[in-house]
Amino acid sequence: QVQLVESGGGLVQPGGSLRLSCAASGFTVSSYVMSWYRQGVGQERGLVASIIRDELNYADSVKGRFTISRDNDKNTVYLQMDSLKPEDRALYYCKATRMFKEYWGQGSQVTVSL
């Protein structure tokens, strides 16, 4: 059974850091395009970062602040978020894609506030 479980969200002050984890089961993350998306209140879900083999891609709004990585041994994908801003507040989702298959995690809430 395929499953993606996000963790690591929470409340942090502006300028702080969080690391999200996406633990996968039922498939191998190194064989899929792994991505992080986010959706703020009243906003559409948008791509934050993706990792395709060794290629990393980021939304302009997070370049230089967020880092996506993959641990093949743990079958887990991470999103290191530094210098967080209030506008980074959102529900963050992990997504796995390969050809016609697509899987989503349940989401992890990130709140950036004083």
Side-chain angles (χ1 to χ4, degrees):
Q1 181 181 359
V2 172
Q3 194 172 17
L4 292 171
V5 179
E6 297 108 332
S7 61
L11 172 64
V12 64
Q13 293 186 353
S17 298
L18 284 173
R19 188 178 78 157
L20 301 180
S21 299
C22 173
S25 57
F27 71 101
T28 304
V29 294
S30 60
S31 299
Y32 280 66
V33 176
M34 299 301 298
S35 307
W36 286 97
Y37 282 72
R38 68 184 181 185
Q39 186 169 18
V41 176
Q43 298 178 351
E44 294 186 356
R45 192 176 299 188
L47 178 65
V48 175
S50 64
I51 180 168
I52 309 167
R53 297 184 185 87
D54 293 328
E55 179 182 337
L56 310 180
N57 297 288
Y58 297 96
D60 288 343
S61 59
V62 306
K63 280 181 181 176
R65 300 188 298 121
F66 290 13
T67 304
I68 188 171
S69 61
R70 184 182 62 224
D71 186 328
N72 293 335
D73 291 337
K74 294 183 178 179
N75 211 34
T76 298
V77 175
Y78 303 97
L79 184 68
Q80 177 67 41
M81 304 183 292
D82 299 317
S83 301
L84 282 161
K85 304 176 181 180
E87 52 262 42
D88 294 319
R89 173 178 179 165
L91 193 57
Y92 284 72
Y93 296 90
C94 178
K95 177 184 173 183
T97 309
R98 181 181 178 185
M99 297 183 69
F100 301 108
K101 298 179 182 178
E102 181 178 288
Y103 308 110
W104 290 89
Q106 82 287 354
S108 182
Q109 179 66 43
V110 171
T111 301
V112 185
S113 179
L114 292 173

